[in-house]
Amino acid sequence: MSTSEYVGQRRPVTALPRPEIVLHGVRDRPRGWLEWLTTTDHKKIGILYIYATFIFFLIGGVEALMMRLQLAVPENTLLAPKAYNAVMTMHGTTMVFLFVVPVLAGFGNYLVPLMIGARDMAFPRLNALSFWLLLFGGIVFYVSIFFHPPEAGWTMYTPLSEEAFSATGGVDAWIFLIHLTGLSSLLGAINFVATIHNMRARGMGWARMPLFIWTILIYSYLLILALPAVAAAVTMLLADRHLDTGFFNPANGGDPMLWQHLFWFFGHPEVYIMILPSFGIISEVVPVFARKPIFGYKAIAASTAAIAFLGMLVWAHHMFATPMPAVVLSFFMLSSFAIGVPTGIKIFNWLATMWRGSIVFKTPMYFACGFIAQFVIGGISGVILAVFPVDWQLHDTYFVVAHFHYVLFGGSIFGLFAGLYYWFPKITGRMMSEGLGKASFWLMFIGFNTTFLIQHSLGMSGMPRRIYTYYPNGDWAAWNLVSTIGSFILGIGVLLTVLNVLLSLKNGKRAGNDPWKANTLEWFVPSPPPENNFDVVPRIRSAEPMKDIRRDVAAAGTPAGSVYQPVAPGT
């Protein structure tokens, strides 16, 4: 398309008239809160996902602080053993099933159509259903705290989660949560695949898709492949508990090992489901603030697919302490090592992108750099645990807790915060405070490392995970106290971002269309985008369409750096 089609009359976006939509029934739509309850607009659904999941994140954070308070000193009585087990179960379940996976779906819902030049998701009503299934699953799960919350851990290992050991309804609430959130994720994944495959803008071939879109696509494939395993597992567990079947119950001829195989066949791809979209966020943020094209676009895209493929082959490295032949252990050990290759490709390409770049240190870039540093630590500790004789010594110790959090909090959540600060101007039309943002980053970075780095030492000194107290021997007391102090510093950092969001929604500086001089198509439309996203979708000529558009605008003689609202020819 020609430059004039999106330069239009050379008026800034604030000066252009909005075309009235007069389609039958549009004017009779609900307004206010009822509009949000009935919406099928992918942007509103994305915002609902983000708000709901961040509320669950804050609840899960409070549960984490309760656990750290209990472990701050030896022989503490703040939480009783059953209460500690319940809090630990609720925390792990909330963070995995109600925050990290669905918040990525929220970012994907908002951004995927905008980044590929579509006007909505392929199945808008199915999209809305996915959100409500997630929300109802979370509500049902948390209603259990008024009766009897689950106490068997977020992995619900059998036979501990069987009727004989967990006779209350807490485990049933957990099973219901997994069914509802699993169905939500499965429907959402099918929707993402259909949208990305069929609704890309003209000219956006596979080699021109944004890297965030690549990661959402692979994330969706992994969900479709992995979710049936956990759905089958929890259905069998429900049957064991109430129909006296014998899938996992040894008393009825079942095998508890079957649960572990089914759960981790889902659970290890789940780790990559939780981290791959954060990789995509970093791949969008780093080149924008390094003022350079991404180094090795094709290598990063290919490594995403390689990680997903290898991630389906390594589930049993969570089971090295179970009785398996050495040849099987060796296979899973070597497969786990192999994942380090495509992961390393990404890290080195991000560093190469920053190398000799004109780096602009805004808050999204701070979180992106923090992500890279902390994910490297998590990756190294993962390679250590992949050596099965070493894992025999460190299995179910705080070393594993530290590794898991370096990957998922130091990795996924720092990546999510980079994306939150990066796309907040597009979603709301306002900038977030740089001062509060950088203060939040440093508190989170210092607090996170203070909390979890020392837990590697706790694990190597033999402290088991999932214990609610310990004797005042050795260095455990001092190290646990340091870890607890760090957790509260981390919590304050998170609250600063919450405060930043609330203040910026009303008082933030107006962002304009493209405050970061970014590369991808979502920055072409106004901030926040109109309901139909695009009046005119520009033809895509490269993997960085906004650079092409700015070049065309400059060639047309408009003010340097300005981007105008797309206007249909003849407007």
Side-chain angles (χ1 to χ4, degrees):
M1 82 186 265
S2 68
T3 305
S4 62
E5 287 181 80
Y6 51 77
V7 172
Q9 300 174 19
R10 297 188 181 180
R11 288 176 292 178
V13 62
T14 55
L16 286 172
R18 291 287 179 86
E20 289 292 332
I21 300 174
V22 294
L23 297 177
H24 176 69
V26 169
R27 295 186 185 280
D28 299 326
R29 285 180 306 193
R31 297 296 178 188
W33 62 269
L34 192 58
E35 181 183 6
W36 287 89
L37 290 180
T38 58
T39 185
T40 57
D41 181 358
H42 73 95
K43 297 180 291 300
K44 285 187 170 68
I45 292 171
I47 291 170
L48 287 171
Y49 263 107
I50 293 169
Y51 271 119
T53 53
F54 265 89
I55 289 170
F56 285 124
F57 173 58
L58 295 177
I59 295 170
V62 170
E63 291 160 350
L65 294 178
M66 292 171 65
M67 294 163 61
R68 287 310 324 162
L69 282 173
Q70 170 63 23
L71 295 171
V73 295
E75 299 180 322
N76 199 354
T77 57
L78 177 68
L79 296 176
K82 281 183 172 290
Y84 182 87
N85 288 341
V87 170
M88 180 265 295
T89 302
M90 303 290 281
H91 166 72
T93 302
T94 299
M95 290 305 197
V96 172
F97 296 105
L98 292 174
F99 176 60
V100 180
V101 175
V103 76
L104 294 168
F107 277 93
N109 264 287
Y110 197 98
L111 294 164
V112 164
L114 290 168
M115 295 180 84
I116 66 172
R119 289 184 168 86
D120 208 325
M121 297 287 285
F123 307 110
R125 292 179 181 176
L126 196 67
N127 201 24
L129 176 62
S130 298
F131 168 74
W132 292 111
L133 286 170
L134 165 77
L135 184 62
F136 291 149
I139 291 171
V140 167
F141 180 63
Y142 268 91
V143 165
S144 70
I145 66 175
F146 298 107
F147 302 97
H148 202 293
E151 301 170 6
W154 75 273
T155 56
M156 287 292 156
Y157 275 2
T158 57
L160 185 59
S161 55
E162 293 277 2
E163 185 79 10
F165 298 97
S166 299
T168 63
V171 174
D172 296 322
W174 185 89
I175 292 170
F176 197 28
L177 165 80
I178 300 304
H179 273 307
L180 287 178
T181 57
L183 184 58
S184 166
S185 295
L186 186 61
L187 295 177
I190 293 169
N191 211 349
F192 280 131
V193 170
T195 302
I196 294 169
H197 274 268
N198 297 298
M199 300 178 68
R200 300 192 306 275
R202 188 179 179 191
M204 186 177 283
W206 294 107
R208 292 177 180 174
M209 286 200 316
L211 288 167
F212 179 73
I213 301 298
W214 270 107
T215 58
I216 290 292
L217 182 63
I218 302 300
Y219 154 99
S220 302
Y221 286 144
L222 282 175
L223 282 169
I224 292 168
L225 292 171
L227 282 170
V230 73
V234 297
T235 303
M236 288 188 275
L237 178 59
L238 190 66
D240 269 14
R241 287 175 57 82
H242 297 291
L243 302 178
D244 205 30
T245 54
F247 294 107
F248 310 117
N249 188 349
N252 292 344
D255 185 359
M257 282 278 288
L258 176 60
W259 171 267
Q260 293 196 37
H261 279 291
L262 288 172
F263 184 85
W264 288 117
F265 186 81
F266 154 80
H268 196 79
E270 177 83 343
V271 173
Y272 296 106
I273 289 166
M274 290 187 282
I275 195 67
L276 284 178
S278 288
F279 286 167
I281 291 170
I282 302 305
S283 296
E284 300 298 341
V285 170
V286 167
V288 169
F289 292 98
R291 298 292 184 245
K292 284 177 60 181
I294 190 74
F295 184 91
Y297 169 93
K298 291 182 179 178
I300 293 178
S303 67
T304 302
I307 289 171
F309 174 75
L310 293 170
M312 297 293 296
L313 303 178
V314 296
W315 77 90
H317 80 199
H318 295 271
M319 303 168 57
F320 280 160
T322 61
M324 286 191 291
V327 64
V328 175
L329 296 177
S330 299
F331 170 79
F332 285 107
M333 178 181 72
L334 294 173
S335 299
S336 302
F337 289 166
I339 293 181
V341 176
T343 306
I345 287 171
K346 289 183 180 294
I347 291 167
F348 283 115
N349 281 3
W350 293 329
L351 296 177
T353 302
M354 288 188 277
W355 181 255
R356 293 186 176 178
S358 301
I359 297 177
V360 179
F361 276 110
K362 299 291 186 180
T363 304
M365 191 63 167
Y366 274 70
F367 277 100
C369 293
F371 167 97
I372 295 171
Q374 290 168 159
F375 186 78
V376 167
I377 295 173
I380 291 171
S381 61
V383 171
I384 293 170
L385 289 170
V387 181
F388 64 84
V390 175
D391 187 82
W392 289 343
Q393 305 302 315
L394 296 175
H395 191 80
D396 271 345
T397 69
Y398 260 77
F399 191 95
V400 177
V401 175
H403 159 68
F404 190 69
H405 283 85
Y406 264 92
V407 171
L408 291 185
F409 199 111
S412 291
I413 295 178
F414 267 71
L416 284 168
F417 272 66
L420 176 66
Y421 278 90
Y422 179 60
W423 280 303
F424 185 87
K426 178 53 57 181
I427 295 171
T428 67
R430 295 183 180 272
M431 303 295 293
M432 292 177 75
S433 164
E434 280 293 310
L436 280 177
K438 290 172 181 175
S440 174
F441 166 77
W442 284 114
L443 286 171
M444 288 179 64
F445 186 80
I446 293 168
F448 173 80
N449 286 287
T450 304
T451 303
F452 293 106
L453 191 61
I454 204 167
Q455 289 183 7
H456 293 96
S457 297
L458 279 167
M460 294 183 75
S461 67
M463 183 174 174
R465 64 197 296 195
R466 303 190 181 101
I467 60 169
Y468 85 102
T469 191
Y470 51 93
Y471 292 114
N473 298 327
D475 296 324
W476 287 10
W479 291 345
N480 272 294
L481 181 60
V482 170
S483 185
T484 299
I485 293 170
S487 69
F488 278 85
I489 297 172
L490 173 59
I492 294 169
V494 171
L495 289 179
L496 274 185
T497 286
V498 173
L499 177 64
N500 201 352
V501 168
L502 296 176
L503 293 176
S504 301
L505 283 172
K506 286 190 175 181
N507 303 317
K509 187 176 69 173
R510 294 286 181 180
N513 289 20
D514 185 14
W516 307 126
K517 292 184 173 57
N519 301 327
T520 44
L521 198 57
E522 74 274 21
W523 301 101
F524 180 56
V525 300
S527 304
E531 186 170 355
N532 64 324
N533 291 350
F534 298 90
D535 295 328
V536 172
V537 181
R539 180 166 182 165
I540 306 303
R541 304 195 299 275
S542 73
E544 297 178 321
M546 282 304 294
K547 286 188 177 179
D548 299 331
I549 290 169
R550 283 194 293 270
R551 193 178 301 117
D552 291 345
V553 168
T558 56
S562 61
V563 177
Y564 290 83
Q565 162 73 10
V567 181
T571 300

